[in-house]
């Protein structure tokens, strides 16, 4: 078994991930326009850092939270780091734990995998789609980076996804961000296939549909992708239109991803740009030597940019 990712990565020091997390929190807050957010349940993979649990409890007042932890041998460490009494820890693989959950409650489920997409993850996704009540949100993240060698990368992609691999795919189709693009397509097809299965034999009033809300790409050293959306029946669909998710710049209902681009700035440069924001156009700080490319990147994410670096004296 490979070592746990949290032993290799400090989850508090992944700036692009932190930005994505804050954007999702802002998106989730809009659910409150259609349904009482405090009555939602959050299901995720906390790891010892529980960064998403801390943010969503404090920012959204979600009271019911379930963290699925597969590293059973580290149970004492998870229990020690559990940030709130509201967080219930359930140990085991997601495929084992997800079927045990009570699915009566509207939920925000973030299947935040660290590994490349595989068939087991697609089965988790299908199970969630089959069980989630209308008004729930499903988010999926996966590592969109495989072996550097093209032939090995192609073989790894096929081995992980088996029958879900597009038949027209070739070894030349997995360069750059192509893996993220294919993952989104495969996840979307799996979700909509599960939706079709769920709706069989049901009346129109209780049939559900999936609407994609986000499609992120980012890299904190490794390429990652996140895609997700809301599951709604007909009667709830009219209420949830008031959420106006489309007002967010990062709202992405299709294959076009929102790429989180990290600026390379010193703390003093960040403070300088903050003093110029918000503005109708990206701030021009070339007079102090900050390139426009960096100012543009910062202006796009400054409200979500983490401030966890040491403060200079």
């Amino acid at each position: 078994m490979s070592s746990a990712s949290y032993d290799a990565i400090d989850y508090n020091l992944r700036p692009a991930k932190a930005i994505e997390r804050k954007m999702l929190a802002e998106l989730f807050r809009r659910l409150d326009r259609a349904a009482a957010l405090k009555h939602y349940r959050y299901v995720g993979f906390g790891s010892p850092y529980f960064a998403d649990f801390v943010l969503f409890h404090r920012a959204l007042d979600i009271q019911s939270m379930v963290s699925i932890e597969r590293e059973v041998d580290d149970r004492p460490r998870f229990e020690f780091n559990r940030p709130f009494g509201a967080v219930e820890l359930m140990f085991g693989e997601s495929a084992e734990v997800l079927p045990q959950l009570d699915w009566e409650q509207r939920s925000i489920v973030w299947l935040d995998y660290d590994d490349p997409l595989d068939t087991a993850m697609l089965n988790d996704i299908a199970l969630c789609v089959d069980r989630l009540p209308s008004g729930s949100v499903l988010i999926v993240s996966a590592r969109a980076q495989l072996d550097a060698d093209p032939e090995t990368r192609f073989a790894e992609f096929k081995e992980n996804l088996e029958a879900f691999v597009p038949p027209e795919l070739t070894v030349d189709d997995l360069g750059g961000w192509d893996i993220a693009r294919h993952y989104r397509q495969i996840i979307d097809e799996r979700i909509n296939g599960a939706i079709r299965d769920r709706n069989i034999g049901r009346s129109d009033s209780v049939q559900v549909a999936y609407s994609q809300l986000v499609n992120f790409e980012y890299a904190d050293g490794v390429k990652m992708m996140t895609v997700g959306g809301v599951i709604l029946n007909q009667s709830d669909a009219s209420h949830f239109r008031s959420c106006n998710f489309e007002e967010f710049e990062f709202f992405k209902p299709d294959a076009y991803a929102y790429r989180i681009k990290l600026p390379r700035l010193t703390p003093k440069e960040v403070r300088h740009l903050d003093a110029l924001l918000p503005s109708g156009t990206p701030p021009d700080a070339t007079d102090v030597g900050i390139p426009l490319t960096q100012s543009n990147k910062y202006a796009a994410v400054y409200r979500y940019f983490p401030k966890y670096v040491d403060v200079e004296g």
Side-chain angles (χ1 to χ4, degrees):
M1 178 183 294
S2 61
S3 62
S5 62
Y6 52 77
D7 283 334
I9 303 169
D10 184 341
Y11 279 62
N12 291 316
L13 298 176
R14 297 173 65 189
K17 184 72 175 182
I19 290 169
E20 177 191 64
R21 194 182 298 121
K22 291 179 181 178
M23 288 178 169
L24 286 174
E26 192 161 278
L27 182 89
F28 298 156
R29 190 176 291 115
R30 285 291 183 89
L31 293 168
D32 208 38
R33 294 184 178 185
L37 190 53
K38 68 180 302 179
H39 297 311
Y40 271 72
R41 173 183 61 176
Y42 177 66
V43 179
F45 306 152
S47 84
Y49 296 96
F50 291 100
D52 47 342
F53 285 79
V54 171
L55 176 63
F56 298 156
H57 179 67
R58 287 179 172 162
L60 308 178
D61 194 24
I62 294 179
Q63 301 290 321
S64 174
M65 312 186 96
V66 176
S67 183
I68 300 171
E69 307 296 345
R70 69 176 181 178
E71 304 297 337
V72 179
D73 291 343
D74 283 348
R75 184 179 191 127
R77 188 178 182 191
F78 290 114
E79 292 175 340
F80 176 78
N81 285 289
R82 183 173 60 162
F84 307 109
V87 179
E88 179 185 2
L89 299 177
M90 296 187 71
F91 291 90
E93 295 289 342
S94 51
E96 301 167 341
V97 175
L98 287 170
Q100 300 176 35
L101 298 181
D102 181 346
W103 292 94
E104 293 296 318
Q105 187 175 5
R106 274 181 176 156
S107 301
I108 297 169
V109 178
W110 189 357
L111 303 176
D112 190 8
Y113 304 107
D114 297 321
D115 299 322
L117 190 68
D118 63 23
T119 55
M121 297 174 191
L122 293 173
N123 290 337
D124 286 348
I125 293 167
L127 183 140
C128 290
V129 171
D130 181 62
R131 308 283 177 87
L132 282 168
S134 173
S136 298
V137 172
L138 176 62
I139 306 292
V140 182
S141 297
R143 180 159 65 92
Q145 187 167 321
L146 300 171
D147 196 278
D149 176 72
E151 296 289 347
T152 305
R153 180 165 62 232
F154 186 54
E156 190 177 352
F157 188 94
K158 291 195 298 182
E159 181 181 359
N160 289 342
L161 291 166
E162 301 175 356
F164 296 98
V165 176
E168 70 279 9
L169 193 76
T170 72
V171 69
D172 298 323
D173 294 332
L174 297 177
W177 285 98
D178 288 342
I179 293 174
R181 179 170 56 84
H182 288 297
Y183 280 179
R184 190 215 71 86
Q185 180 180 350
I186 291 169
I187 291 170
D188 189 69
E189 291 174 355
R190 191 72 185 99
I191 289 174
N192 284 296
I195 290 281
R196 287 192 294 273
D197 291 341
R198 173 174 170 164
N199 288 338
I200 292 174
R202 300 192 178 194
S203 64
D204 290 347
S205 61
V206 296
Q207 289 192 5
V208 296
Y210 165 74
S211 297
Q212 183 182 303
L213 302 177
V214 295
N215 179 13
F216 289 113
E217 295 175 353
Y218 64 91
D220 285 318
V222 175
K223 290 184 175 70
M224 299 290 296
M225 61 80 62
T226 295
V227 65
V230 62
I231 295 170
L232 295 169
N233 61 28
Q234 288 184 4
S235 61
D236 287 334
S238 59
H239 299 301
F240 278 77
R241 277 196 285 273
S242 64
C243 297
N244 294 325
F245 297 117
E246 68 279 3
E247 292 179 351
F248 293 113
E249 186 178 357
F250 53 82
F251 170 76
K252 292 293 178 184
D254 50 35
Y256 293 96
Y258 181 91
R259 181 85 47 81
I260 297 173
K261 299 177 181 178
L262 290 176
R264 305 299 182 195
L265 299 168
T266 69
K268 189 171 184 178
E269 290 169 341
V270 166
R271 293 194 294 273
H272 182 77
L273 291 175
D274 280 343
L276 302 176
L277 291 166
S279 63
T281 58
D284 184 347
T286 52
D287 59 321
V288 296
I290 302 175
L292 278 175
T293 53
Q294 300 303 320
S295 298
N296 290 343
K297 290 180 182 178
Y298 185 68
V301 299
Y302 80 99
R303 291 197 302 116
Y304 314 99
F305 198 73
K307 304 289 197 309
Y308 46 60
V309 294
D310 287 342
V311 178
E312 294 180 335

